[in-house]
């Protein structure tokens, strides 16, 4: 088979029906929409949440809670990711994490979590550390600095 011999599967392609192009086409005048009514209008019909006039579910449900606009949003990073990416004695800062591709956006800061083991002596500078992460970094001979 050659490239110019390729064809779509039979029955998979249909010619487009041109509605509203005269009575002889079979779909002229009303264009298959019938006469008048909501569904005959442009943009007519009911939305996906319409329940026949009954109060929709999203309006029946009670409202709960609130969004704290002062909440700090930290980007979390685990020790195993630092172990894989950095050499012994490296200084890890938020800028270095962005450059290395581990973090896309620093947001309100970086929090280092203690998932995984670390054997390299790294100097890690971040906005927050979990207790286990700080303990593991210092046990491996590294330093923890809160920015």
């Amino acid at each position: 088979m050659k490239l110019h011999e390729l064809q779509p599967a039979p029955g998979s392609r249909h010619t487009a029906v041109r509605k509203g192009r005269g009575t002889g086409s079979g779909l002229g005048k009303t264009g298959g929409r019938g006469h008048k009514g909501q569904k005959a209008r442009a943009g007519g019909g009911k939305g996906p949440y319409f329940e026949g006039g009954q109060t929709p579910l999203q309006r029946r449900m009670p409202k709960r809670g609130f969004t704290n606009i002062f909440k700090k949003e930290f980007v979390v990073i685990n020790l195993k990711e630092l172990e894989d990416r950095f050499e012994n004695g490296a200084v890890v800062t938020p800028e270095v994490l962005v450059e290395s591709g581990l973090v896309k956006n620093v947001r309100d800061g970086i929090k280092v979590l203690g998932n995984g083991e670390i054997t390299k002596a790294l100097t890690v500078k971040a906005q927050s550390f979990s207790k286990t992460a700080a303990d593991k970094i210092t046990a491996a001979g590294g330093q923890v600095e809160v920015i």
Side-chain angles (χ1 to χ4, degrees), residues 97-136:
L97 291 171
V98 170
E99 287 170 18
S100 67
L102 276 174
V103 173
K104 271 190 184 161
N105 185 0
V106 177
R107 295 197 188 124
D108 292 323
I110 306 268
K111 180 161 186 173
V112 181
L113 302 181
N115 190 2
E117 296 301 319
I118 189 160
T119 56
K120 299 169 182 168
L122 302 175
T123 302
V124 185
K125 298 178 181 180
Q127 282 75 9
S128 180
F129 293 87
S130 71
K131 188 172 186 314
T132 54
D135 292 344
K136 287 181 181 180

PDB file of all heavy atoms in Angstrom, residues 97-136:
ATOM      1  N   LEU A  97      15.542  25.377  42.763  1.00  0.00           N
ATOM      2  CA  LEU A  97      14.499  24.386  42.506  1.00  0.00           C
ATOM      3  C   LEU A  97      13.726  24.711  41.232  1.00  0.00           C
ATOM      4  O   LEU A  97      13.363  23.812  40.471  1.00  0.00           O
ATOM      5  CB  LEU A  97      13.538  24.298  43.701  1.00  0.00           C
ATOM      6  CG  LEU A  97      14.109  23.696  44.987  1.00  0.00           C
ATOM      7  CD1 LEU A  97      13.132  23.861  46.126  1.00  0.00           C
ATOM      8  CD2 LEU A  97      14.444  22.234  44.784  1.00  0.00           C
ATOM      9  N   VAL A  98      13.479  25.996  40.983  1.00  0.00           N
ATOM     10  CA  VAL A  98      12.773  26.402  39.762  1.00  0.00           C
ATOM     11  C   VAL A  98      13.657  26.135  38.541  1.00  0.00           C
ATOM     12  O   VAL A  98      13.191  25.612  37.520  1.00  0.00           O
ATOM     13  CB  VAL A  98      12.355  27.884  39.834  1.00  0.00           C
ATOM     14  CG1 VAL A  98      11.839  28.374  38.497  1.00  0.00           C
ATOM     15  CG2 VAL A  98      11.313  28.092  40.914  1.00  0.00           C
ATOM     16  N   GLU A  99      14.940  26.481  38.644  1.00  0.00           N
ATOM     17  CA  GLU A  99      15.868  26.260  37.528  1.00  0.00           C
ATOM     18  C   GLU A  99      16.018  24.781  37.196  1.00  0.00           C
ATOM     19  O   GLU A  99      16.118  24.401  36.033  1.00  0.00           O
ATOM     20  CB  GLU A  99      17.248  26.836  37.856  1.00  0.00           C
ATOM     21  CG  GLU A  99      17.312  28.351  37.826  1.00  0.00           C
ATOM     22  CD  GLU A  99      18.620  28.891  38.390  1.00  0.00           C
ATOM     23  OE1 GLU A  99      19.593  28.127  38.489  1.00  0.00           O
ATOM     24  OE2 GLU A  99      18.649  30.090  38.722  1.00  0.00           O
ATOM     25  N   SER A 100      16.020  23.919  38.236  1.00  0.00           N
ATOM     26  CA  SER A 100      16.208  22.484  38.009  1.00  0.00           C
ATOM     27  C   SER A 100      14.938  21.812  37.487  1.00  0.00           C
ATOM     28  O   SER A 100      14.974  20.678  37.048  1.00  0.00           O
ATOM     29  CB  SER A 100      16.647  21.805  39.309  1.00  0.00           C
ATOM     30  OG  SER A 100      15.592  21.844  40.253  1.00  0.00           O
ATOM     31  N   GLY A 101      13.798  22.514  37.548  1.00  0.00           N
ATOM     32  CA  GLY A 101      12.549  21.954  37.021  1.00  0.00           C
ATOM     33  C   GLY A 101      11.740  21.178  38.030  1.00  0.00           C
ATOM     34  O   GLY A 101      10.707  20.603  37.690  1.00  0.00           O
ATOM     35  N   LEU A 102      12.196  21.110  39.286  1.00  0.00           N
ATOM     36  CA  LEU A 102      11.425  20.410  40.322  1.00  0.00           C
ATOM     37  C   LEU A 102      10.173  21.183  40.704  1.00  0.00           C
ATOM     38  O   LEU A 102       9.168  20.602  41.096  1.00  0.00           O
ATOM     39  CB  LEU A 102      12.289  20.188  41.576  1.00  0.00           C
ATOM     40  CG  LEU A 102      13.196  18.969  41.557  1.00  0.00           C
ATOM     41  CD1 LEU A 102      14.083  18.953  42.776  1.00  0.00           C
ATOM     42  CD2 LEU A 102      12.395  17.698  41.472  1.00  0.00           C
ATOM     43  N   VAL A 103      10.238  22.514  40.613  1.00  0.00           N
ATOM     44  CA  VAL A 103       9.115  23.377  40.982  1.00  0.00           C
ATOM     45  C   VAL A 103       8.851  24.334  39.827  1.00  0.00           C
ATOM     46  O   VAL A 103       9.789  24.890  39.269  1.00  0.00           O
ATOM     47  CB  VAL A 103       9.451  24.175  42.274  1.00  0.00           C
ATOM     48  CG1 VAL A 103       8.387  25.195  42.579  1.00  0.00           C
ATOM     49  CG2 VAL A 103       9.633  23.231  43.437  1.00  0.00           C
ATOM     50  N   LYS A 104       7.573  24.500  39.452  1.00  0.00           N
ATOM     51  CA  LYS A 104       7.233  25.435  38.380  1.00  0.00           C
ATOM     52  C   LYS A 104       7.035  26.834  38.917  1.00  0.00           C
ATOM     53  O   LYS A 104       7.530  27.799  38.374  1.00  0.00           O
ATOM     54  CB  LYS A 104       5.948  24.984  37.688  1.00  0.00           C
ATOM     55  CG  LYS A 104       6.170  24.044  36.549  1.00  0.00           C
ATOM     56  CD  LYS A 104       4.896  23.848  35.771  1.00  0.00           C
ATOM     57  CE  LYS A 104       5.117  22.807  34.687  1.00  0.00           C
ATOM     58  NZ  LYS A 104       3.884  22.244  34.200  1.00  0.00           N
ATOM     59  N   ASN A 105       6.263  26.942  40.016  1.00  0.00           N
ATOM     60  CA  ASN A 105       5.907  28.244  40.568  1.00  0.00           C
ATOM     61  C   ASN A 105       6.062  28.180  42.081  1.00  0.00           C
ATOM     62  O   ASN A 105       5.532  27.274  42.717  1.00  0.00           O
ATOM     63  CB  ASN A 105       4.457  28.571  40.182  1.00  0.00           C
ATOM     64  CG  ASN A 105       4.052  29.957  40.610  1.00  0.00           C
ATOM     65  OD1 ASN A 105       4.849  30.695  41.193  1.00  0.00           O
ATOM     66  ND2 ASN A 105       2.819  30.317  40.343  1.00  0.00           N
ATOM     67  N   VAL A 106       6.778  29.122  42.669  1.00  0.00           N
ATOM     68  CA  VAL A 106       7.083  29.074  44.103  1.00  0.00           C
ATOM     69  C   VAL A 106       5.861  29.431  44.957  1.00  0.00           C
ATOM     70  O   VAL A 106       5.762  29.021  46.106  1.00  0.00           O
ATOM     71  CB  VAL A 106       8.271  30.020  44.417  1.00  0.00           C
ATOM     72  CG1 VAL A 106       8.572  30.055  45.898  1.00  0.00           C
ATOM     73  CG2 VAL A 106       9.499  29.566  43.670  1.00  0.00           C
ATOM     74  N   ARG A 107       4.891  30.173  44.407  1.00  0.00           N
ATOM     75  CA  ARG A 107       3.689  30.624  45.120  1.00  0.00           C
ATOM     76  C   ARG A 107       4.075  31.350  46.396  1.00  0.00           C
ATOM     77  O   ARG A 107       4.833  32.305  46.360  1.00  0.00           O
ATOM     78  CB  ARG A 107       2.750  29.453  45.397  1.00  0.00           C
ATOM     79  CG  ARG A 107       2.195  28.841  44.141  1.00  0.00           C
ATOM     80  CD  ARG A 107       0.993  27.980  44.423  1.00  0.00           C
ATOM     81  NE  ARG A 107       0.610  27.270  43.215  1.00  0.00           N
ATOM     82  CZ  ARG A 107       0.507  25.962  43.143  1.00  0.00           C
ATOM     83  NH1 ARG A 107       0.705  25.220  44.200  1.00  0.00           N
ATOM     84  NH2 ARG A 107       0.168  25.385  42.015  1.00  0.00           N
ATOM     85  N   ASP A 108       3.561  30.879  47.592  1.00  0.00           N
ATOM     86  CA  ASP A 108       3.872  31.567  48.854  1.00  0.00           C
ATOM     87  C   ASP A 108       5.114  31.014  49.534  1.00  0.00           C
ATOM     88  O   ASP A 108       5.471  31.451  50.618  1.00  0.00           O
ATOM     89  CB  ASP A 108       2.677  31.457  49.816  1.00  0.00           C
ATOM     90  CG  ASP A 108       1.491  32.260  49.316  1.00  0.00           C
ATOM     91  OD1 ASP A 108       1.716  33.344  48.748  1.00  0.00           O
ATOM     92  OD2 ASP A 108       0.347  31.803  49.493  1.00  0.00           O
ATOM     93  N   GLY A 109       5.760  30.020  48.936  1.00  0.00           N
ATOM     94  CA  GLY A 109       6.968  29.461  49.522  1.00  0.00           C
ATOM     95  C   GLY A 109       7.061  27.967  49.308  1.00  0.00           C
ATOM     96  O   GLY A 109       6.155  27.329  48.787  1.00  0.00           O
ATOM     97  N   ILE A 110       8.189  27.407  49.737  1.00  0.00           N
ATOM     98  CA  ILE A 110       8.465  25.980  49.590  1.00  0.00           C
ATOM     99  C   ILE A 110       8.418  25.341  50.975  1.00  0.00           C
ATOM    100  O   ILE A 110       8.964  25.892  51.934  1.00  0.00           O
ATOM    101  CB  ILE A 110       9.871  25.758  48.983  1.00  0.00           C
ATOM    102  CG1 ILE A 110      10.028  26.517  47.674  1.00  0.00           C
ATOM    103  CG2 ILE A 110      10.195  24.298  48.854  1.00  0.00           C
ATOM    104  CD1 ILE A 110       9.685  25.798  46.431  1.00  0.00           C
ATOM    105  N   LYS A 111       7.778  24.172  51.074  1.00  0.00           N
ATOM    106  CA  LYS A 111       7.814  23.396  52.308  1.00  0.00           C
ATOM    107  C   LYS A 111       8.470  22.058  51.992  1.00  0.00           C
ATOM    108  O   LYS A 111       8.079  21.371  51.058  1.00  0.00           O
ATOM    109  CB  LYS A 111       6.411  23.173  52.869  1.00  0.00           C
ATOM    110  CG  LYS A 111       6.453  22.351  54.155  1.00  0.00           C
ATOM    111  CD  LYS A 111       5.201  22.476  54.978  1.00  0.00           C
ATOM    112  CE  LYS A 111       5.400  21.743  56.293  1.00  0.00           C
ATOM    113  NZ  LYS A 111       4.309  21.950  57.226  1.00  0.00           N
ATOM    114  N   VAL A 112       9.485  21.700  52.773  1.00  0.00           N
ATOM    115  CA  VAL A 112      10.211  20.452  52.571  1.00  0.00           C
ATOM    116  C   VAL A 112       9.628  19.413  53.518  1.00  0.00           C
ATOM    117  O   VAL A 112       9.552  19.638  54.734  1.00  0.00           O
ATOM    118  CB  VAL A 112      11.727  20.636  52.822  1.00  0.00           C
ATOM    119  CG1 VAL A 112      12.473  19.345  52.579  1.00  0.00           C
ATOM    120  CG2 VAL A 112      12.272  21.740  51.935  1.00  0.00           C
ATOM    121  N   LEU A 113       9.209  18.280  52.943  1.00  0.00           N
ATOM    122  CA  LEU A 113       8.641  17.182  53.731  1.00  0.00           C
ATOM    123  C   LEU A 113       9.633  16.035  53.816  1.00  0.00           C
ATOM    124  O   LEU A 113      10.514  15.896  52.973  1.00  0.00           O
ATOM    125  CB  LEU A 113       7.324  16.705  53.110  1.00  0.00           C
ATOM    126  CG  LEU A 113       6.229  17.760  52.957  1.00  0.00           C
ATOM    127  CD1 LEU A 113       4.980  17.148  52.358  1.00  0.00           C
ATOM    128  CD2 LEU A 113       5.904  18.396  54.290  1.00  0.00           C
ATOM    129  N   GLY A 114       9.466  15.181  54.810  1.00  0.00           N
ATOM    130  CA  GLY A 114      10.453  14.144  55.108  1.00  0.00           C
ATOM    131  C   GLY A 114      10.227  12.812  54.445  1.00  0.00           C
ATOM    132  O   GLY A 114      10.718  11.792  54.949  1.00  0.00           O
ATOM    133  N   ASN A 115       9.517  12.742  53.328  1.00  0.00           N
ATOM    134  CA  ASN A 115       9.288  11.470  52.644  1.00  0.00           C
ATOM    135  C   ASN A 115      10.553  11.059  51.899  1.00  0.00           C
ATOM    136  O   ASN A 115      11.053  11.796  51.064  1.00  0.00           O
ATOM    137  CB  ASN A 115       8.100  11.616  51.678  1.00  0.00           C
ATOM    138  CG  ASN A 115       7.655  10.279  51.128  1.00  0.00           C
ATOM    139  OD1 ASN A 115       8.195   9.239  51.475  1.00  0.00           O
ATOM    140  ND2 ASN A 115       6.677  10.312  50.247  1.00  0.00           N
ATOM    141  N   GLY A 116      11.071   9.866  52.183  1.00  0.00           N
ATOM    142  CA  GLY A 116      12.293   9.386  51.548  1.00  0.00           C
ATOM    143  C   GLY A 116      13.496   9.576  52.457  1.00  0.00           C
ATOM    144  O   GLY A 116      13.410  10.186  53.521  1.00  0.00           O
ATOM    145  N   GLU A 117      14.620   9.030  52.025  1.00  0.00           N
ATOM    146  CA  GLU A 117      15.859   9.129  52.788  1.00  0.00           C
ATOM    147  C   GLU A 117      16.819  10.072  52.077  1.00  0.00           C
ATOM    148  O   GLU A 117      16.772  10.222  50.865  1.00  0.00           O
ATOM    149  CB  GLU A 117      16.496   7.747  52.939  1.00  0.00           C
ATOM    150  CG  GLU A 117      15.664   6.766  53.735  1.00  0.00           C
ATOM    151  CD  GLU A 117      15.377   7.238  55.159  1.00  0.00           C
ATOM    152  OE1 GLU A 117      16.293   7.790  55.797  1.00  0.00           O
ATOM    153  OE2 GLU A 117      14.236   7.064  55.613  1.00  0.00           O
ATOM    154  N   ILE A 118      17.729  10.670  52.857  1.00  0.00           N
ATOM    155  CA  ILE A 118      18.736  11.562  52.261  1.00  0.00           C
ATOM    156  C   ILE A 118      20.097  11.199  52.843  1.00  0.00           C
ATOM    157  O   ILE A 118      20.243  10.999  54.052  1.00  0.00           O
ATOM    158  CB  ILE A 118      18.375  13.046  52.493  1.00  0.00           C
ATOM    159  CG1 ILE A 118      19.289  13.957  51.690  1.00  0.00           C
ATOM    160  CG2 ILE A 118      18.392  13.417  53.955  1.00  0.00           C
ATOM    161  CD1 ILE A 118      18.749  15.333  51.464  1.00  0.00           C
ATOM    162  N   THR A 119      21.084  11.057  51.943  1.00  0.00           N
ATOM    163  CA  THR A 119      22.429  10.674  52.373  1.00  0.00           C
ATOM    164  C   THR A 119      23.437  11.785  52.097  1.00  0.00           C
ATOM    165  O   THR A 119      24.532  11.766  52.642  1.00  0.00           O
ATOM    166  CB  THR A 119      22.883   9.410  51.609  1.00  0.00           C
ATOM    167  OG1 THR A 119      22.805   9.665  50.203  1.00  0.00           O
ATOM    168  CG2 THR A 119      22.002   8.223  51.973  1.00  0.00           C
ATOM    169  N   LYS A 120      23.045  12.766  51.273  1.00  0.00           N
ATOM    170  CA  LYS A 120      23.970  13.839  50.893  1.00  0.00           C
ATOM    171  C   LYS A 120      23.840  15.010  51.862  1.00  0.00           C
ATOM    172  O   LYS A 120      22.754  15.303  52.353  1.00  0.00           O
ATOM    173  CB  LYS A 120      23.661  14.307  49.475  1.00  0.00           C
ATOM    174  CG  LYS A 120      23.830  13.204  48.447  1.00  0.00           C
ATOM    175  CD  LYS A 120      23.277  13.592  47.118  1.00  0.00           C
ATOM    176  CE  LYS A 120      23.419  12.433  46.140  1.00  0.00           C
ATOM    177  NZ  LYS A 120      22.653  12.651  44.928  1.00  0.00           N
ATOM    178  N   ALA A 121      24.957  15.676  52.119  1.00  0.00           N
ATOM    179  CA  ALA A 121      24.962  16.838  53.006  1.00  0.00           C
ATOM    180  C   ALA A 121      24.573  18.075  52.199  1.00  0.00           C
ATOM    181  O   ALA A 121      25.407  18.682  51.533  1.00  0.00           O
ATOM    182  CB  ALA A 121      26.339  17.013  53.632  1.00  0.00           C
ATOM    183  N   LEU A 122      23.307  18.422  52.230  1.00  0.00           N
ATOM    184  CA  LEU A 122      22.798  19.569  51.473  1.00  0.00           C
ATOM    185  C   LEU A 122      22.491  20.724  52.410  1.00  0.00           C
ATOM    186  O   LEU A 122      22.063  20.515  53.541  1.00  0.00           O
ATOM    187  CB  LEU A 122      21.518  19.190  50.718  1.00  0.00           C
ATOM    188  CG  LEU A 122      21.590  18.044  49.726  1.00  0.00           C
ATOM    189  CD1 LEU A 122      20.206  17.742  49.187  1.00  0.00           C
ATOM    190  CD2 LEU A 122      22.536  18.374  48.587  1.00  0.00           C
ATOM    191  N   THR A 123      22.687  21.944  51.935  1.00  0.00           N
ATOM    192  CA  THR A 123      22.221  23.129  52.649  1.00  0.00           C
ATOM    193  C   THR A 123      20.903  23.526  51.999  1.00  0.00           C
ATOM    194  O   THR A 123      20.888  23.968  50.853  1.00  0.00           O
ATOM    195  CB  THR A 123      23.241  24.274  52.540  1.00  0.00           C
ATOM    196  OG1 THR A 123      24.489  23.819  53.066  1.00  0.00           O
ATOM    197  CG2 THR A 123      22.768  25.488  53.323  1.00  0.00           C
ATOM    198  N   VAL A 124      19.806  23.337  52.715  1.00  0.00           N
ATOM    199  CA  VAL A 124      18.479  23.574  52.149  1.00  0.00           C
ATOM    200  C   VAL A 124      17.899  24.852  52.748  1.00  0.00           C
ATOM    201  O   VAL A 124      17.785  24.984  53.968  1.00  0.00           O
ATOM    202  CB  VAL A 124      17.538  22.374  52.425  1.00  0.00           C
ATOM    203  CG1 VAL A 124      16.203  22.589  51.735  1.00  0.00           C
ATOM    204  CG2 VAL A 124      18.171  21.071  51.970  1.00  0.00           C
ATOM    205  N   LYS A 125      17.566  25.805  51.867  1.00  0.00           N
ATOM    206  CA  LYS A 125      16.942  27.062  52.294  1.00  0.00           C
ATOM    207  C   LYS A 125      15.510  27.071  51.770  1.00  0.00           C
ATOM    208  O   LYS A 125      15.301  27.024  50.551  1.00  0.00           O
ATOM    209  CB  LYS A 125      17.696  28.262  51.740  1.00  0.00           C
ATOM    210  CG  LYS A 125      19.134  28.342  52.220  1.00  0.00           C
ATOM    211  CD  LYS A 125      19.853  29.523  51.612  1.00  0.00           C
ATOM    212  CE  LYS A 125      21.301  29.581  52.094  1.00  0.00           C
ATOM    213  NZ  LYS A 125      22.023  30.712  51.517  1.00  0.00           N
ATOM    214  N   ALA A 126      14.532  27.117  52.687  1.00  0.00           N
ATOM    215  CA  ALA A 126      13.120  27.116  52.291  1.00  0.00           C
ATOM    216  C   ALA A 126      12.314  27.876  53.332  1.00  0.00           C
ATOM    217  O   ALA A 126      12.831  28.242  54.398  1.00  0.00           O
ATOM    218  CB  ALA A 126      12.606  25.690  52.138  1.00  0.00           C
ATOM    219  N   GLN A 127      11.033  28.093  53.014  1.00  0.00           N
ATOM    220  CA  GLN A 127      10.168  28.851  53.922  1.00  0.00           C
ATOM    221  C   GLN A 127       9.674  27.997  55.089  1.00  0.00           C
ATOM    222  O   GLN A 127       9.365  28.521  56.145  1.00  0.00           O
ATOM    223  CB  GLN A 127       8.958  29.411  53.159  1.00  0.00           C
ATOM    224  CG  GLN A 127       9.265  30.649  52.340  1.00  0.00           C
ATOM    225  CD  GLN A 127      10.035  30.348  51.055  1.00  0.00           C
ATOM    226  OE1 GLN A 127      10.218  29.208  50.664  1.00  0.00           O
ATOM    227  NE2 GLN A 127      10.498  31.393  50.396  1.00  0.00           N
ATOM    228  N   SER A 128       9.611  26.679  54.906  1.00  0.00           N
ATOM    229  CA  SER A 128       9.082  25.817  55.965  1.00  0.00           C
ATOM    230  C   SER A 128       9.637  24.407  55.817  1.00  0.00           C
ATOM    231  O   SER A 128       9.931  23.957  54.705  1.00  0.00           O
ATOM    232  CB  SER A 128       7.545  25.810  55.874  1.00  0.00           C
ATOM    233  OG  SER A 128       7.012  25.005  56.871  1.00  0.00           O
ATOM    234  N   PHE A 129       9.768  23.713  56.950  1.00  0.00           N
ATOM    235  CA  PHE A 129      10.259  22.334  56.979  1.00  0.00           C
ATOM    236  C   PHE A 129       9.384  21.532  57.930  1.00  0.00           C
ATOM    237  O   PHE A 129       8.951  22.038  58.970  1.00  0.00           O
ATOM    238  CB  PHE A 129      11.700  22.266  57.509  1.00  0.00           C
ATOM    239  CG  PHE A 129      12.717  22.892  56.603  1.00  0.00           C
ATOM    240  CD1 PHE A 129      13.004  24.246  56.692  1.00  0.00           C
ATOM    241  CD2 PHE A 129      13.380  22.149  55.657  1.00  0.00           C
ATOM    242  CE1 PHE A 129      13.937  24.835  55.875  1.00  0.00           C
ATOM    243  CE2 PHE A 129      14.324  22.732  54.825  1.00  0.00           C
ATOM    244  CZ  PHE A 129      14.599  24.081  54.934  1.00  0.00           C
ATOM    245  N   SER A 130       9.136  20.270  57.585  1.00  0.00           N
ATOM    246  CA  SER A 130       8.502  19.396  58.569  1.00  0.00           C
ATOM    247  C   SER A 130       9.598  18.952  59.546  1.00  0.00           C
ATOM    248  O   SER A 130      10.787  19.012  59.234  1.00  0.00           O
ATOM    249  CB  SER A 130       7.854  18.189  57.889  1.00  0.00           C
ATOM    250  OG  SER A 130       8.840  17.313  57.397  1.00  0.00           O
ATOM    251  N   LYS A 131       9.192  18.504  60.717  1.00  0.00           N
ATOM    252  CA  LYS A 131      10.165  18.127  61.746  1.00  0.00           C
ATOM    253  C   LYS A 131      11.041  16.967  61.281  1.00  0.00           C
ATOM    254  O   LYS A 131      12.251  16.962  61.460  1.00  0.00           O
ATOM    255  CB  LYS A 131       9.432  17.765  63.048  1.00  0.00           C
ATOM    256  CG  LYS A 131      10.351  17.554  64.229  1.00  0.00           C
ATOM    257  CD  LYS A 131       9.564  17.396  65.497  1.00  0.00           C
ATOM    258  CE  LYS A 131      10.434  17.323  66.730  1.00  0.00           C
ATOM    259  NZ  LYS A 131      11.582  16.459  66.643  1.00  0.00           N
ATOM    260  N   THR A 132      10.404  15.959  60.625  1.00  0.00           N
ATOM    261  CA  THR A 132      11.175  14.802  60.164  1.00  0.00           C
ATOM    262  C   THR A 132      12.169  15.194  59.068  1.00  0.00           C
ATOM    263  O   THR A 132      13.285  14.679  59.032  1.00  0.00           O
ATOM    264  CB  THR A 132      10.238  13.698  59.634  1.00  0.00           C
ATOM    265  OG1 THR A 132       9.387  14.256  58.633  1.00  0.00           O
ATOM    266  CG2 THR A 132       9.395  13.107  60.734  1.00  0.00           C
ATOM    267  N   ALA A 133      11.769  16.120  58.188  1.00  0.00           N
ATOM    268  CA  ALA A 133      12.675  16.557  57.119  1.00  0.00           C
ATOM    269  C   ALA A 133      13.881  17.270  57.709  1.00  0.00           C
ATOM    270  O   ALA A 133      15.023  17.005  57.312  1.00  0.00           O
ATOM    271  CB  ALA A 133      11.934  17.474  56.148  1.00  0.00           C
ATOM    272  N   ALA A 134      13.652  18.161  58.657  1.00  0.00           N
ATOM    273  CA  ALA A 134      14.757  18.894  59.282  1.00  0.00           C
ATOM    274  C   ALA A 134      15.696  17.932  59.999  1.00  0.00           C
ATOM    275  O   ALA A 134      16.930  18.064  59.907  1.00  0.00           O
ATOM    276  CB  ALA A 134      14.207  19.935  60.249  1.00  0.00           C
ATOM    277  N   ASP A 135      15.123  16.942  60.707  1.00  0.00           N
ATOM    278  CA  ASP A 135      15.952  15.968  61.426  1.00  0.00           C
ATOM    279  C   ASP A 135      16.803  15.138  60.464  1.00  0.00           C
ATOM    280  O   ASP A 135      17.983  14.890  60.720  1.00  0.00           O
ATOM    281  CB  ASP A 135      15.064  15.043  62.274  1.00  0.00           C
ATOM    282  CG  ASP A 135      14.398  15.790  63.427  1.00  0.00           C
ATOM    283  OD1 ASP A 135      14.841  16.916  63.743  1.00  0.00           O
ATOM    284  OD2 ASP A 135      13.428  15.246  63.996  1.00  0.00           O
ATOM    285  N   LYS A 136      16.204  14.694  59.349  1.00  0.00           N
ATOM    286  CA  LYS A 136      16.941  13.855  58.394  1.00  0.00           C
ATOM    287  C   LYS A 136      18.059  14.638  57.701  1.00  0.00           C
ATOM    288  O   LYS A 136      19.139  14.101  57.460  1.00  0.00           O
ATOM    289  CB  LYS A 136      15.981  13.285  57.345  1.00  0.00           C
ATOM    290  CG  LYS A 136      15.082  12.182  57.886  1.00  0.00           C
ATOM    291  CD  LYS A 136      14.173  11.639  56.801  1.00  0.00           C
ATOM    292  CE  LYS A 136      13.258  10.554  57.336  1.00  0.00           C
ATOM    293  NZ  LYS A 136      12.370  10.014  56.285  1.00  0.00           N
TER     294      LYS A 136
END
